[in-house]
Amino acid sequence: MPEIAEVETVRNTLKQKILHKKIKKIDIYYDKIIESNVDDFKKNLINEEFIDIKRKGKWLIFETNKYYLLSHLRMEGKYFIKDQDEEIAKHEHIVFTFNDDTTLRYHDTRKFGRMNLIKKEEIDKVECLTKQGLEPLDKDLNANYLLDKFKNKKLPIKTVLLDQTIISGLGNIYANEVLFYAHVNPLKEAQKLTKEECELIVKGSNEIIKEAIKMGGTTIKSYTSSLGVTGRFQQKLKVHKKEGEPCFRCKTPIKNIKVGGRSTYYCPNCQK
DNA sequence: AGTGCGACCCGAACGC
DNA sequence: TGCGTTCGGGTCGCAC
């Protein structure tokens, strides 16, 4: 489940592997990953090269001279670098072949990921990017920003933290961890959070994401011919998937409930 | 407008 | 052992 830290790690890793190589072929084995026109996708990217990889929230942005290729990994999307002659593995849906006979392969067991090819001049009009809120590490993310965004929101804070238009890049795991850090009950109405709680949410998301990016950076699995990226921040988790285990702080058993249909873990004693 | 929920997927975990 | 069923996870789109 790639969240912002893993997307950042993928970005950094791929940048060292695929920039400035001419794309000579694109094979697409599952069309629905690509939201824009599939024929145009191939036609427009062939003979181009990726000149940079950027990121906004959980979106990866591959830059060419004329286009941006937007890629969202959703839950299980991964990229691998392999030689051209290696067999296509199960769940490899999109394969870019470069002129040096290496390939960039998009692998996604659940087929939930999405790609979108847009002309560069359209970048300011693409809603999936323009609607993103501030990132956890953005210095403009502060308690007043959150108080304003939480105003009139009757939804549980846990649900609101997953809203990418408020904080961009927090997923289910981090939302659980941030609320534990901030001592906030996941069911509390967002509009009822105090300034102090918002400050803790800012501090918590900042520290947790920073740590996760650091972990992501140390857990890249490299192979001679392929490269996958997985995060190991699970070692640092305090509540996520810890149902029944004693709370890190007070030893009370961690609870698991559904909030807005999403599994939510918290300490009933620390997060009243 | 804000909110709630099913759909999209498929492997793992579970029940029998 | 081998079936069938349930669940999860991010985001979108539709219904209310």
Side-chain angles (χ1 to χ4, degrees):
Chain A
M1 53 219 80
E3 301 202 23
I4 194 170
E6 280 162 294
V7 178
E8 184 63 9
T9 307
V10 172
R11 183 179 84 86
N12 288 326
T13 312
L14 286 183
K15 271 182 78 166
Q16 299 166 32
K17 299 278 180 182
I18 65 161
L19 295 191
H20 311 300
K21 297 187 197 180
K22 195 162 155 185
I23 300 165
K24 69 174 181 189
K25 188 158 77 100
I26 301 174
D27 294 296
I28 299 170
Y29 301 99
Y30 185 75
D31 281 2
K32 285 172 72 179
I33 302 274
I34 295 166
E35 292 183 319
S36 50
N37 182 283
V38 175
D39 293 330
D40 288 345
F41 183 92
K42 282 192 192 180
K43 198 176 66 192
N44 293 336
L45 282 178
I46 282 174
N47 293 328
E48 290 271 309
E49 59 182 65
F50 296 123
I51 57 176
D52 197 7
I53 307 175
K54 303 171 191 296
R55 182 187 60 74
K56 181 142 191 186
K58 298 176 198 168
W59 285 93
L60 279 167
I61 307 174
F62 295 78
E63 181 179 6
T64 75
N65 283 321
K66 295 182 200 154
Y67 298 93
Y68 286 118
L69 166 58
L70 314 180
S71 167
H72 195 302
L73 305 174
R74 292 283 178 91
M75 259 84 71
E76 311 211 354
K78 295 173 184 67
Y79 281 101
F80 293 92
I81 309 281
K82 295 187 179 180
D83 282 331
Q84 174 177 234
D85 52 17
E86 281 190 62
E87 262 178 58
I88 300 302
K90 196 175 180 184
H91 307 306
E92 285 178 354
H93 305 303
I94 315 233
V95 177
F96 301 85
T97 305
F98 300 107
N99 60 355
D100 67 350
D101 295 338
T102 62
T103 58
L104 171 68
R105 305 185 182 195
Y106 179 69
H107 177 290
D108 191 342
T109 31
R110 301 246 168 111
K111 299 178 174 171
F112 265 23
R114 291 294 176 259
M115 291 186 196
N116 219 319
L117 189 68
I118 59 161
K119 290 195 185 114
K120 272 185 156 174
E121 58 266 28
E122 292 171 347
I123 190 89
D124 295 328
K125 291 182 247 159
V126 184
E127 283 200 346
C128 64
L129 299 182
T130 58
K131 282 159 75 178
Q132 298 284 328
L134 295 178
E135 298 199 357
L137 299 183
D138 193 316
K139 58 182 179 349
D140 291 336
L141 179 69
N142 57 41
N144 285 333
Y145 171 85
L146 289 182
L147 279 174
D148 181 55
K149 293 285 187 184
F150 293 165
K151 209 169 49 189
N152 303 325
K153 286 235 183 271
K154 298 184 200 312
L155 287 172
I157 181 63
K158 167 68 191 320
T159 302
V160 172
L161 281 188
L162 295 175
D163 182 342
Q164 303 296 299
T165 68
I166 296 177
I167 301 181
S168 170
L170 286 191
N172 199 42
I173 298 170
Y174 294 149
N176 285 328
E177 294 297 314
V178 167
L179 289 175
F180 176 75
Y181 179 99
H183 291 79
V184 174
N185 188 288
L187 290 169
K188 186 165 182 174
E189 271 184 38
Q191 62 179 355
K192 291 191 177 157
L193 262 72
T194 63
K195 185 163 186 183
E196 289 67 35
E197 288 172 326
C198 289
E199 273 163 3
L200 283 172
I201 286 177
V202 171
K203 216 172 146 214
S205 52
N206 205 281
E207 288 192 11
I208 289 164
I209 297 293
K210 241 194 267 176
E211 179 73 12
I213 289 177
K214 214 169 80 189
M215 298 291 285
T218 60
T219 57
I220 299 165
K221 284 186 195 163
S222 301
Y223 309 93
T224 47
S225 59
S226 67
L227 166 147
V229 179
T230 51
R232 281 275 178 82
F233 54 81
Q234 56 266 29
Q235 291 167 0
K236 294 277 180 176
L237 297 179
K238 304 282 196 294
V239 289
H240 188 78
K241 291 251 168 105
K242 305 282 187 194
E243 184 179 9
E245 292 183 35
C247 167
F248 177 79
R249 285 192 294 245
C250 75
K251 310 299 176 215
T252 303
I254 298 301
K255 271 189 129 176
N256 174 215
I257 57 171
K258 291 270 183 216
V259 180
R262 297 281 165 242
S263 65
T264 299
Y265 299 85
Y266 71 107
C267 171
N269 182 45
C270 294
Q271 298 166 264
K272 287 197 200 294

